[in-house]
Amino acid sequence: MSIPYYQIDAFASSLFAGNPAGVCLLTDWLADTILQSIAAENNLAETAFVVQRDSFFDLRWFTPSLEMDLCGHATLAPAHVIFRHLGYRASVVRFQTRAGMLTVSRDGDLLTLDFPARPAVPCDAPPELVAGLRASPVTTAKARDYLAVFETEQAVRNLQPDMAALMRLDCLGIIATAPGEDCDFVSRFFAPRAGVPEDPVTGSAHCTLIPYWAQRLGRKTLRARQISPRGGELFCEHRGERVGIGGHAVTYSSGFLHVS
C-alpha cells in the first residue's frame, strides 16, 4: 500500500522553523493500530491523517504515542497540502474531527484556523507544576492544559522543566506564557504525557492563550510567538466562543509511505 505523504513546517514562513507535521492522504480509514504505528515511525509531534469526502475532509491527529482531541499545526499542515498541492479552489476547507467541524480559510499565503475557545479557570498551582517547571508562576489556571503565567518573556525562555514531574500532573500539557518583548505574548508548551517533551508551536494551546490575553490586554486581535528552539509566529483573534489562529506553512518534503 502506497500512501501519499507530505511533511510540512507549520506556523513558519521558511523551512526549518515552526512545527513539522506529517500529512497522510488516505482513501479510507486504516486500523487505528496502523495509524498509531505510522505516527510512531514518523516520530513527529503529530501526524495528520486525512480522508476526502464530498464537501469536507475527515481528519485525525496522532502523536507518537496517542490520538489527540485537537491539534492546530496538524490542521494547518493538511490545509496547506489541500490548497497548495491538491489544487483545492475554494477559499475555505472544512475538516470533520473529534473536536467537531473545523475550518481553515486562506488569504493569500496566510491560513487561519477557526477553533473552539478553551478559556482556563483560575486555580492554585499544584506542587508538581512548580516542581516540574522549576519556577513559580504568578498566575495559574486550567482548561485541558495548565496555564502558567510569568512576568517576563525571559522567565519563560529560562525554563528548564523536569519532565518526570510534569508527567504526574492531571492534564495533557503545560502552557507557560508571559507578555512578549516584540509581540503581545509568548509561550512554550510541554506535553511529556503525549510523548512530546516540548512542542515547537502549539495551535491548540492558543485556544486557551487567546481568551486569557484578549481579556488581559483588552483587544480581540493579537500577535503571538512560541519561543521554542524552532519558534513560530501566530496571528490571533478572539471570537467569543471561537478563536482564529493564523499562520503560514512551508512544504519540506513529499513522497509515499509504503505500508504492507
Side-chain angles (χ1 to χ4, degrees):
M1 182 192 312
S2 293
I3 299 172
Y5 177 77
Y6 298 82
Q7 186 169 317
I8 307 299
D9 288 342
F11 295 113
S13 299
S14 59
L15 288 175
F16 314 121
N19 202 348
V23 180
C24 295
L25 303 180
L26 306 176
T27 56
D28 212 340
W29 288 114
L30 304 173
D32 287 3
T33 54
I34 296 176
L35 301 181
Q36 188 64 74
S37 294
I38 291 172
E41 185 76 9
N42 289 344
N43 200 31
L44 298 169
E46 258 88 15
T47 296
F49 296 92
V50 181
V51 177
Q52 185 169 4
R53 304 303 185 189
D54 289 338
S55 60
F56 62 92
F57 295 80
D58 286 337
L59 172 61
R60 296 172 69 182
W61 312 280
F62 285 78
T63 77
S65 59
L66 55 83
E67 183 173 6
M68 291 289 290
D69 66 333
L70 185 65
C71 182
H73 83 282
T75 303
L76 195 75
H80 170 80
V81 170
I82 290 165
F83 285 131
R84 179 64 58 88
H85 298 289
L86 301 189
Y88 198 71
R89 295 186 177 277
S91 60
V92 177
V93 60
R94 300 166 68 235
F95 293 110
Q96 182 61 52
T97 75
R98 291 179 66 186
M101 187 65 73
L102 305 175
T103 63
V104 183
S105 59
R106 63 174 168 179
D107 181 6
D109 291 332
L110 181 68
L111 303 179
T112 301
L113 314 172
D114 182 75
F115 269 28
R118 287 179 166 175
V121 177
C123 65
D124 294 331
E128 296 86 357
L129 179 66
V130 176
L133 292 176
R134 297 190 172 108
S136 297
V138 295
T139 300
T140 309
K142 189 173 186 291
R144 179 194 71 178
D145 311 305
Y146 274 104
L147 180 69
V149 183
F150 292 86
E151 289 185 350
T152 66
E153 176 176 322
Q154 194 59 46
V156 174
R157 288 186 181 274
N158 289 344
L159 292 174
Q160 296 181 328
D162 177 346
M163 296 299 170
L166 293 183
M167 285 187 73
R168 295 195 289 270
L169 288 164
D170 60 335
C171 63
L172 176 80
I174 298 89
I175 309 165
T177 188
E181 295 173 359
D182 65 350
C183 60
D184 292 305
F185 65 90
V186 298
S187 67
R188 293 173 67 188
F189 185 77
F190 311 104
R193 290 181 66 174
V196 184
E198 179 167 5
D199 197 33
V201 191
T202 315
S204 63
H206 287 75
C207 296
T208 298
L209 285 162
I210 292 169
Y212 173 82
W213 286 106
Q215 181 179 32
R216 176 166 164 173
L217 299 177
R219 297 208 316 276
K220 290 185 176 181
T221 58
L222 305 158
R223 190 167 64 91
R225 292 189 187 279
Q226 195 150 331
I227 52 174
S228 65
R230 288 177 64 97
E233 185 176 31
L234 305 95
F235 302 88
C236 307
E237 182 181 7
H238 190 230
R239 300 172 176 175
E241 295 185 354
R242 310 286 294 182
V243 294
I245 308 168
H248 298 92
V250 184
T251 301
Y252 171 67
S253 64
S254 62
F256 293 88
L257 303 182
H258 300 286
V259 181
S260 58

